[in-house]
Amino acid sequence: QQGPVLTRLITYMTMELLAVSCLSETCKSAIRSLVVDYEHQTSFASLAFLSSPEDAADQKLVPLLQRYFVTLKGNWETAIRDCKLEEMLVAVLDPEMRNFFKTVEFTSIGHLLTCAHGFRNVLHNIELPPTYTATSTCTTQLQDEGQIRQAIRDLQRERITVNGHLLPIVTSRT
């Protein structure tokens, strides 16, 4: 049963290569796929004593890892962006609410709004961290409370509809 160990190893290697603290769902899915593929390729051979674990690693795992890292190298900018987004989501969203919205299947817009209403307080109090790549103009604007209040007033005038249903007006703690 090398799956959990191999998964952790590839996860830590990927996090180190991308210099991130957590992985996106896309990266996690690619790792799960690689591990399942390796287990599938080696399970029948090892049961029939056709290959040793060393041979399986050399003949099966190395090519899978090479393919994975070539793909990762080709898409590193997207992978890092997705992982940074995941880091931010983990930092700012309530884990219970996030898991709920990731797993629920909405049956109607009414169902969506009812579910969102159940997490109303959490949704109204999401605080986004400052960006790491903010320009000097952007940070100056973020520090001006008058401009922030004006942006909130502008947003409150906006009317957002989903399938013809009006979404609640944005409010703020300030």
Side-chain angles (χ1 to χ4, degrees):
Q1 182 74 335
Q2 67 271 0
V5 174
L6 184 58
T7 300
R8 278 196 311 274
L9 178 66
I10 299 170
T11 296
Y12 291 133
M13 286 173 43
T14 304
M15 288 168 52
E16 185 69 24
L17 286 171
L18 297 176
V20 295
S21 62
C22 69
L23 296 180
S24 67
E25 287 299 320
T26 305
C27 288
K28 290 177 188 175
S29 176
I31 291 169
R32 276 191 302 270
S33 177
L34 185 152
V35 171
V36 167
D37 195 12
Y38 174 67
E39 288 180 335
H40 180 72
Q41 289 182 24
T42 58
S43 63
F44 298 113
S46 63
L47 285 175
F49 301 105
L50 297 175
S51 68
S52 68
E54 294 81 20
D55 290 340
D58 194 39
Q59 295 172 2
K60 307 289 186 202
L61 184 57
V62 170
L64 288 171
L65 286 172
Q66 287 174 331
R67 200 171 330 128
Y68 170 74
F69 288 118
V70 165
T71 302
L72 191 62
K73 183 180 174 185
N75 299 316
W76 67 272
E77 290 172 320
T78 302
I80 290 174
R81 186 186 64 237
D82 292 349
C83 291
K84 292 289 186 185
L85 176 62
E86 183 70 19
E87 286 176 2
M88 194 256 320
L89 291 173
V90 166
V92 301
L93 294 180
D94 174 63
E96 178 185 329
M97 178 190 69
R98 187 159 184 241
N99 187 51
F100 174 79
F101 281 110
K102 283 172 70 172
T103 58
V104 71
E105 186 174 318
F106 298 109
T107 56
S108 66
I109 189 66
H111 181 219
L112 168 82
L113 295 174
T114 301
C115 292
H117 187 71
F119 289 100
R120 185 173 190 236
N121 289 335
V122 177
L123 290 169
H124 277 286
N125 294 309
I126 293 174
E127 293 188 28
L128 298 178
T131 62
Y132 298 106
T133 58
T135 62
S136 60
T137 306
C138 181
T139 52
T140 303
Q141 290 176 348
L142 290 175
Q143 292 171 353
D144 184 2
E145 289 187 32
Q147 288 183 335
I148 293 172
R149 286 195 181 97
Q150 181 60 46
I152 290 172
R153 283 192 294 272
D154 293 344
L155 188 57
Q156 287 173 336
R157 285 193 292 271
E158 294 290 325
R159 297 291 183 236
I160 301 169
T161 60
V162 176
N163 291 340
H165 292 82
L166 185 64
L167 292 180
I169 295 174
V170 175
T171 59
S172 173
R173 298 184 288 140
T174 58

